[in-house]
Amino acid sequence: MSALLRRTVNASLTKNIVCRSITQHNTSMSVIRPTYNTIRWNTTDSVTNKPGSATTQPETTESKYSETTKKVIYGLARAMGYYSKGSTAIKASHKLYNECAMQMDLNKDFYIKECNLPDNFQSWFSVTQVHVWMLMVHLRAEKQGTLYIQEVVNRFFEDAEARIRQHGISQQKVIDSYIKDLLAQFHGGVVAYDEGMCKDDPVLAAALWRNLFAISSNNATDLALVVQHIRRQLQALEQFGGEKLNAGIVQFEKPDTKLLA
C-alpha cells in the first residue's frame, strides 16, 4: 500500500469509525514474553553386554538460563522495540486478519452455494469486511483496542490491494481509485452494522441486504442465517482477549445452514 494511501486509510478510519459496543469489559493487556525451554543433555555410556556386567543408565542433567541472562535478554528486546505496544499489535494483526480473510474460502459452500453470492473479488471483500467488523467490535473493549483495530484494517487494505494487482491491474492511480471506493464502502458498512448490532435483527438484516447481498439473488432465509451467525459470533469472540489477543489468536465458527430455535 502506498504511503499516501496508507495515510488516507489511517486518517479516515480514525475520523469516521463509530465505536458502539454492546458490552464493555476490561481485560488487562498481557505482555508476550519469550519462553526459555529447559536444556537437557543426555549422556549414555556404551556398555558391553556380558554376563555379570552392570548396565549404566543414561544420566540427565538440567541447565537453565540464569536470571541475569534473562534480564539482559528482556532488556535488549525492549530497547529494540520488540515488546512495544505498536510492534505487538502489528505482529498480532497479521494472524487476526488472516483468520478473517480465510472465512470466504473456508465457507464457500455457505456463501456461494447457500447464499448465492458470486465467486468474485467483491464477494470476498464483503464477507471479509463482516468478519473484520465483528473483530473490531470485540477489540473496542480491549485496553489497546484502537491500535489493534488500526493495524487489522491496514492488513485488510494491504491484502485488498494485493488481490487487485493479482487481477492484472498495475497502474497505481487506478489501484488508488479502487481502494478509495472500497474504503468508502468499508466505512459505510461499519456504521450500518454498528447500528444493526445496537438495535435489532431487522436493522442488522437491512444492513446486510445493502452491503453483502446487494449483488446476489437471495431470499429471507439466507439473510436470517447470516444475522444468526453474526449474533452468535459476537458472543463467542468474548473468550478471546488478553494473552490470546496479543498472540493473535481468534477463531470464527462455521455458519449454520439451519435456523436455530
Side-chain angles (χ1 to χ4, degrees):
M1 189 185 295
S2 65
L4 177 60
L5 189 57
R6 180 185 291 276
R7 287 197 296 271
T8 302
V9 172
N10 293 350
S12 181
L13 182 66
T14 303
K15 180 179 179 181
N16 295 319
I17 288 185
V18 179
C19 295
R20 304 186 194 125
S21 180
I22 291 179
T23 57
Q24 296 290 332
H25 60 280
N26 295 322
T27 304
S28 299
M29 191 170 184
S30 302
V31 177
I32 302 175
R33 299 190 181 279
T35 300
Y36 295 90
N37 296 326
T38 301
I39 301 177
R40 298 178 182 274
W41 302 94
N42 295 330
T43 304
T44 305
D45 295 334
S46 298
V47 178
T48 303
N49 293 326
K50 295 182 179 180
S53 64
T55 301
T56 304
Q57 297 294 333
E59 296 180 358
T60 302
T61 60
E62 295 185 358
S63 175
K64 295 182 178 180
Y65 291 109
S66 68
E67 291 300 320
T68 301
T69 301
K70 291 180 182 180
K71 289 180 180 179
V72 170
I73 293 175
Y74 289 147
L76 288 174
R78 284 200 234 22
M80 296 174 66
Y82 188 81
Y83 293 124
S84 69
K85 295 176 181 178
S87 64
T88 301
I90 291 173
K91 290 191 289 287
S93 69
H94 287 277
K95 294 181 180 179
L96 294 172
Y97 168 69
N98 287 338
E99 183 67 23
C100 298
M102 67 174 62
Q103 295 306 309
M104 180 64 166
D105 288 335
L106 290 176
N107 301 294
K108 269 193 173 183
D109 287 344
F110 177 77
Y111 290 110
I112 303 301
K113 296 181 180 180
E114 182 70 27
C115 297
N116 295 315
L117 295 178
D119 190 2
N120 57 21
F121 173 85
Q122 181 59 53
S123 294
W124 167 82
F125 183 87
S126 298
V127 170
T128 303
Q129 177 184 350
V130 170
H131 290 83
V132 168
W133 167 75
M134 288 192 286
L135 183 59
M136 288 170 60
V137 171
H138 170 61
L139 290 172
R140 288 170 189 165
E142 295 294 329
K143 187 176 181 180
Q144 299 297 327
T146 301
L147 180 60
Y148 277 74
I149 288 172
Q150 183 64 71
E151 293 303 332
V152 169
V153 173
N154 285 344
R155 304 293 86 76
F156 185 20
F157 281 90
E158 287 170 358
D159 190 16
E161 179 176 339
R163 290 172 186 258
I164 290 173
R165 292 182 183 277
Q166 290 174 3
H167 283 78
I169 301 174
S170 57
Q171 293 185 356
Q172 192 61 46
K173 288 184 178 180
V174 176
I175 294 174
D176 289 350
S177 177
Y178 279 128
I179 293 295
K180 288 179 180 179
D181 289 341
L182 292 173
L183 183 60
Q185 177 182 330
F186 174 80
H187 285 306
V190 167
V191 173
Y193 294 148
D194 278 347
E195 183 181 13
M197 175 189 67
C198 294
K199 290 186 177 180
D200 51 28
D201 288 353
V203 177
L204 181 56
L208 288 167
W209 186 274
R210 296 191 304 270
N211 292 277
L212 179 63
F213 287 99
I215 55 177
S216 68
S217 58
N218 49 72
N219 55 54
T221 301
D222 299 332
L223 196 56
L225 287 172
V226 178
V227 170
Q228 173 181 267
H229 177 62
I230 288 176
R231 293 294 188 191
R232 294 184 64 193
Q233 288 308 295
L234 288 174
Q235 184 176 4
L237 285 173
E238 293 181 4
Q239 65 181 297
F240 298 98
E243 293 183 359
K244 289 184 178 180
L245 181 64
N246 290 342
I249 299 174
V250 71
Q251 187 175 2
F252 293 98
E253 299 173 357
K254 293 182 69 66
D256 288 309
T257 57
K258 293 182 180 180
L259 291 174
L260 303 178

